[in-house]
């Protein structure tokens, strides 16, 4: 049985500024965030040193130029036939990439000053991601290119710079029909200048594994790539999670160009990295020349071991762990794709709250900030590289890059990420069309061999669909077999291949609109309604997918499957199935959480399954027209087996979960409950039939007040940290108004600026930057950014006919 052991995080990031003339000693990292110049469209000679960019827009990076809109159904309208959806002919898909203007060319320019003693130094520029087809220039000279917008890349620009002022220019181009979802546009991830001595640790230059791990001790192997000339000493220091130096090792070696220095350490009584206790170690790799420390490179790692078994799935540190994962696209809802740590952490906090323990980075290399948070918060990660190989899904998709760039992009991903303790497998693709061909296995083997060559400590998987790859040698290439949907295949696959290991790489695709309930609760495929909404009973699904109930049953009945990644954790921009040929629809309905970060009803279905916390969630709301609604179905998502329902104190009977009926196995259902305004209450019963917990919903009166909440009482005064102010419309008694659509106006005072707003309604195409937002089913959101100065932020919300409200947030150093 092969076990996979721990490794380490990546690089050094010392956030310092060298905008003023100064001398450099050792390594200096400057993150280029402010005072970028940007323009949309191609501009002749925009890369040249003396080009006049005074009339260009001044922006902060990370920057997504397209999120500012306007929305338009003509933007990247795609006439396509989607094989994975079972389509027989082409359809004109509107909103597939959110109807946002991401197509076209954009230019960025940034001036920077080099320190005084740059002649004896090396200078690199690092991009965490730029969308897309990046061409990089320094002082008018072409430095290099990287077309895949999700890859991180770097260039040595030492020979292009001069003492004093220099200009970095970047040309980007997004082509039409190059993506199946909203990809964003621009330099949407961080950019850094890295100054080093000529003797230094290479970019992504540490590779750390722990081939032997027990509770008593761990063996740590560190390979460090050092660049330079002559006798160089590498001093490697390891610090524990309390920042205490616990071991070190020094080695001297003659270096000519590049050398890999291997060192072995033993750590007694290691702090194990786990989902519950994500403890990280730190490594400082110090290069010493002529008895002087000339470079320090920082890495972070955690110690753990894991394995997949054919019998019962995934084990972490010797304990069987059910993978309770979600797939996540890379956009941040109203913020677009411009990476922001505050927004990422909010997403992960919300997912953690329902018991999620794993993330699939569908279907591309993620931002490094996401992986760092997963390391620190205790998420395991399926790190995915591609959505497309040589056989294209998109007219201008990755098929045009495959021959020259596939290996480069995969190596970039693995070298950047292979030290993260959160990553437990590589995925080299999603529903790749080569899986249905006789020769597709050759390309699969090509990628798997690269992954094994660059990192032998993790298994390689892929998201397959349908039966064919199990029979044509395609699936056989992968260490762990990932299947998307097609839950009926798991018993057949197990019988046909008893020695295979499985994971449900993509599940459910249940569609829902938060707070909207269609009282016809028959499970329905691709149901379309005139209001372009999906029911929040978690019973609407697509023709290739299923409800959570069916997915849960598949896993419970097939314990050899390691777990699942639900499509998706959050709604995302683009791909608005089932309304993908209608307009306006700008974002998906698949999320367990909506685009603004508000949980849908099914959030509590997963929470009931994935946590030990008592859950008792009632649906639907209790504000109906009694002249039109005489009876209605009431569902309760709970981890109690039985409960009794009451309407205005009158019992509607006890329901108990029935393991023999899939739609009574994971939810409690009362059909034809008489509706009358007032209160609906449910009392959960323990194993002895005694009351254990209760919850209720009251009919709300007319909207009266605005309730503001903020889960983060303070934010950093760094000019980029965000706070998220949530709006609930309530009546005079404090009851939530589930149908309210009041138009809310936000104002901000103090050390904050208004950044964006949202409400989770896919059909709302009001600009995200508007400070006015209609509530959708009683809720909306304002996102506020700190100015960079400490103090206080006051956010005020008002609406005609409602009592205004305000909330205060501290901004701290």
């Amino acid at each position: 049985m092969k076990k996979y052991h721990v490794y380490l995080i990546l690089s050094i990031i010392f956030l310092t500024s060298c905008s003023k003339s100064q001398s450099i000693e050792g390594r200096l990292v400057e993150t280029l965030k402010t005072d970028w110049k940007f323009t949309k469209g191609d501009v002749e000679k925009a890369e040249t040193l003396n080009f006049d960019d005074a009339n260009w827009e001044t922006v902060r990076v990370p920057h997504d130029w397209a999120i500012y809109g306007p929305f338009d159904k003509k933007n990247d309208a795609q006439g396509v036939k989607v094989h994975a959806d079972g389509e027989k002919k082409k359809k004109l898909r509107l909103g597939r990439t959110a109807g946002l203007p991401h197509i076209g060319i954009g230019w960025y320019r940034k001036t920077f000053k080099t320190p005084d003693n740059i002649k004896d130094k090396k200078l690199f520029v690092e991009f965490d991601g730029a969308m897309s087809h990046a061409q990089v220039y320094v002082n008018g000279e072409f430095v290099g290119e990287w077309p895949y917008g999700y890859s991180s890349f770097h260039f040595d620009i030492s020979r292009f710079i001069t003492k004093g002022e220099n200009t970095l220019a970047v040309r980007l181009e997004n082509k039409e029909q190059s993506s199946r979802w909203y990809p964003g546009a621009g330099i949407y991830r961080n950019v850094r200048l890295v100054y080093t001595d000529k003797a230094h640790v290479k970019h992504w230059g540490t590779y750390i594994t722990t081939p032997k791990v027990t509770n008593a001790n761990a063996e740590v192997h560190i390979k460090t790539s050092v660049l330079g000339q002559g006798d160089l000493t590498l001093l490697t220091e390891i610090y524990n999670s309390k920042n205490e130096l616990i071991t070190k090792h020094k080695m001297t070696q003659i270096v000519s160009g590049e050398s890999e220095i291997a060192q072995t350490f033993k750590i007694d009584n290691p702090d194990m990295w786990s989902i519950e206790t994500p403890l990280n170690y730190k490594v400082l790799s110090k290069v010493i020349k002529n008895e002087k420390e000339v470079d320090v490179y920082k890495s972070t790692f955690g110690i753990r071991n894991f394995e997949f078994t054919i019998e019962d799935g995934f084990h972490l540190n010797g304990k069987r762990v059910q993978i309770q994962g979600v797939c996540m696209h890379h956009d941040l809802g109203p913020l677009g794709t411009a990476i922001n740590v505050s927004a990422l952490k909010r997403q992960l906090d919300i997912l953690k709250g329902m018991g999620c323990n794993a993330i699939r980075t569908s279907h591309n290399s993620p931002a490094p900030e996401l992986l760092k948070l997963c390391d620190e918060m205790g998420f395991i990660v399926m790190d995915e590289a591609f959505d497309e190989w040589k056989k294209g899904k998109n007219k201008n998709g990755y098929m045009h890059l495959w021959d020259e760039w596939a290996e480069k992009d995969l190596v970039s991903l693995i070298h950047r990420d292979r030290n993260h303790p959160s990553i437990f497998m590589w995925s080299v693709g999603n529903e790749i069309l080569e899986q249905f061909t006789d020769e597709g296995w050759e390309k699969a083997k090509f990628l798997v061999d690269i992954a094994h060559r660059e990192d032998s400590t993790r298994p390689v998987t892929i998201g397959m669909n349908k039966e064919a790859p199990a029979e044509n040698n395609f699936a056989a290439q992968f260490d762990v077999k990932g299947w998307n949907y097609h839950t009926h295949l798991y018993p057949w696959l197990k019988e046909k291949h008893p020695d295979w290991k499985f994971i449900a790489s993509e599940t459910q695709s249940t569609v829902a609109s938060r707070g909207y309930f269609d009282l016809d609760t028959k499970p329905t495929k691709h149901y379309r309604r005139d209001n372009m909404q999906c029911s929040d009973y978690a019973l609407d699904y697509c023709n290739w997918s299923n409800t959570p109930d069916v997915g849960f049953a598949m896993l419970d009945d097939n314990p050899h499957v390691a777990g699942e990644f639900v499509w998706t954790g959050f709604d995302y921009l683009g791909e608005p199935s089932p309304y993908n040929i209608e307009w306006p629809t700008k974002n998906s309905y698949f999320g367990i959480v909506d685009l603004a970060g508000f949980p849908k009803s099914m959030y509590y279905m997963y929470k009931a399954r994935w946590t030990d916390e008592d859950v008792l969630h009632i649906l639907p709301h209790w504000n109906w027209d009694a002249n039109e609604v005489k009876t209605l179905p009431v569902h309760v998502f709970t981890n109690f087996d039985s409960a009794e329902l009451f309407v205005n104190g009158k019992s509607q009977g006890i329901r108990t979960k029935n393991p023999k009926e899939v739609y009574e196995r994971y939810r409690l259902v009362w059909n034809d409950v008489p509706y009358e305004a007032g209160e609906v209450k449910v009392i959960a019963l323990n194993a002895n039939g005694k009351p254990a917990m209760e919850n209720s919903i009251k009919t709300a009166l007319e909207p009266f007040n605005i309730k503001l909440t903020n889960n983060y009482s303070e934010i950093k005064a760094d000019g980029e940290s965000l706070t998220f102010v949530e709006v609930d419309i309530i009546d005079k008694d404090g009851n939530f108004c589930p149908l309210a659509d009041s138009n809310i106006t936000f104002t901000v005072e103090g050390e904050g600026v208004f950044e964006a707003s949202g409400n989770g309604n896919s059909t709302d195409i009001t600009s995200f930057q508007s400070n006015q937002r209609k509530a959708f089913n009683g809720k909306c959101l304002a996102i506020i950014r700190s100015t960079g100065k400490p103090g206080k932020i006051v956010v005020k919300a008002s609406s005609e006919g409602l009592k205004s409200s305000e909330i205060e947030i501290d901004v701290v150093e």
Side-chain angles (χ1 to χ4, degrees), residues 330-618:
H330 70 302
D331 75 72
L332 297 170
L335 299 168
T337 61
I339 198 65
N340 182 278
V341 172
S342 300
L344 283 173
K345 188 174 187 304
R346 177 176 182 252
Q347 286 187 335
L348 293 177
D349 282 339
I350 292 168
L351 292 172
K352 199 82 169 178
M354 71 169 184
C356 175
N357 63 16
I359 304 293
R360 177 190 179 203
T361 68
S362 46
H363 305 291
N364 46 260
S365 173
E369 290 86 351
L370 173 64
L371 300 178
K372 183 175 185 292
L373 285 170
C374 289
D375 292 337
E376 295 170 349
M377 296 177 67
F379 287 86
I380 55 178
V381 177
M382 178 193 289
D383 201 348
E384 191 156 85
F386 305 114
D387 184 55
E388 182 179 317
W389 293 352
K390 183 67 172 177
K391 289 182 69 68
K393 299 178 183 179
N394 303 285
K395 174 183 174 182
N396 288 308
Y398 196 83
M399 62 180 178
H400 300 291
L401 305 178
W402 169 268
D403 289 338
E404 182 179 354
W405 289 94
E407 181 169 4
K408 296 175 185 176
D409 284 320
L410 184 56
V411 170
S412 170
L413 169 71
I414 294 173
H415 281 199
R416 189 195 70 173
D417 296 347
R418 62 186 176 182
N419 295 327
H420 283 280
S422 58
I423 296 173
F424 73 109
M425 63 196 317
W426 307 112
S427 172
V428 294
N430 170 68
E431 297 180 359
I432 298 298
L433 297 182
E434 279 84 350
Q435 69 180 306
F436 304 118
T437 66
D438 291 339
E439 68 281 359
W441 69 271
E442 296 174 350
K443 287 185 173 60
K445 184 177 185 301
F446 167 70
L447 294 177
V448 171
D449 286 348
I450 293 170
H452 286 164
R453 181 191 74 202
E454 302 301 327
D455 176 33
S456 61
T457 69
R458 292 176 177 86
V460 184
T461 190
I462 194 170
M464 297 173 281
N465 52 335
K466 302 184 180 179
E467 297 90 341
E471 300 179 314
N472 63 10
N473 201 35
F474 187 88
Q477 306 308 310
F478 299 95
D479 305 310
V480 177
K481 323 302 179 184
W483 248 271
N484 294 0
Y485 312 106
H486 299 283
T487 57
H488 64 283
L489 291 180
Y490 280 98
W492 173 78
L493 287 166
K494 179 65 173 175
E495 181 179 357
K496 189 174 180 66
H497 299 284
D499 59 336
W500 282 6
K501 303 167 187 176
F502 295 97
I503 190 165
S505 45
E506 189 170 315
T507 62
Q508 272 69 295
S509 274
T510 307
V511 287
S513 302
R514 175 194 46 79
Y516 168 76
F517 297 93
D518 186 331
L519 299 183
D520 179 358
T521 54
K522 180 182 179 180
T524 309
K525 287 184 180 181
H526 258 299
Y527 198 100
R528 282 183 163 85
R529 300 175 179 88
D530 291 342
N531 64 0
M532 291 188 287
Q533 302 295 349
C534 300
S535 180
D536 205 14
Y537 276 103
L539 292 169
D540 286 5
Y541 59 102
C542 300
N543 61 8
W544 68 87
S545 64
N546 51 264
T547 61
D549 311 70
V550 172
F552 294 169
M554 179 278 292
L555 289 171
D556 287 345
D557 296 343
N558 294 275
H560 63 282
V561 179
E564 68 178 325
F565 289 92
V566 179
W567 191 265
T568 51
F570 275 62
D571 282 341
Y572 55 93
L573 290 168
E575 218 171 23
S577 297
Y579 303 106
N580 47 33
I581 59 174
E582 291 91 347
W583 183 261
T585 48
K586 68 181 185 303
N587 62 262
S588 79
Y589 299 80
F590 295 117
I592 299 171
V593 181
D594 75 17
L595 197 72
F598 299 125
K600 303 178 187 179
S601 289
M602 61 179 151
Y603 179 94
Y604 301 96
M605 195 176 191
Y606 286 96
K607 184 173 183 176
R609 178 176 174 84
W610 284 356
T611 75
D612 295 327
E613 182 180 339
D614 290 344
V615 176
L616 195 62
H617 180 77
I618 308 169

Side-chain angles (χ1 to χ4, degrees), residues 100 192 203 210 367 418 470 585 640 730 759 789:
L100 285 165
R192 291 173 296 278
H203 184 62
T210 54
R418 62 186 176 182
T585 48
F640 292 95
I730 58 176
N759 57 17
K789 298 178 181 179

Side-chain angles (χ1 to χ4, degrees), residues 619-652:
L619 53 152
H621 60 76
W622 212 244
N623 271 67
W624 299 91
D625 185 339
N627 294 319
E628 297 181 1
V629 177
K630 303 301 182 183
T631 64
L632 75 170
V634 173
H635 291 203
V636 172
F637 295 157
T638 182
N639 40 19
F640 292 95
D641 286 336
S642 300
E644 185 171 8
L645 184 73
F646 297 84
V647 175
N648 292 332
K650 183 178 180 180
S651 175
Q652 305 300 312

Side-chain angles (χ1 to χ4, degrees), residues 8-25:
L8 202 140
I9 270 190
L10 58 118
S11 61
I12 176 172
I13 300 181
F14 296 138
L15 297 181
T16 19
S17 172
C18 59
S19 58
K20 296 181 180 179
S21 182
Q22 57 182 284
S23 296
I24 300 175
E25 297 297 333

Side-chain angles (χ1 to χ4, degrees), residues 234-247:
L234 176 67
L235 172 61
T236 301
E237 300 173 341
I238 299 180
Y239 296 77
N240 64 17
S241 59
K242 299 176 182 178
N243 203 33
E244 298 167 336
L245 177 64
I246 57 172
T247 186

Side-chain angles (χ1 to χ4, degrees), residues 788-803:
K789 298 178 181 179
K792 293 187 181 297
I793 299 172
V794 178
V795 180
K796 299 180 179 180
S798 60
S799 181
E800 185 177 354
L802 299 182
K803 185 179 178 181

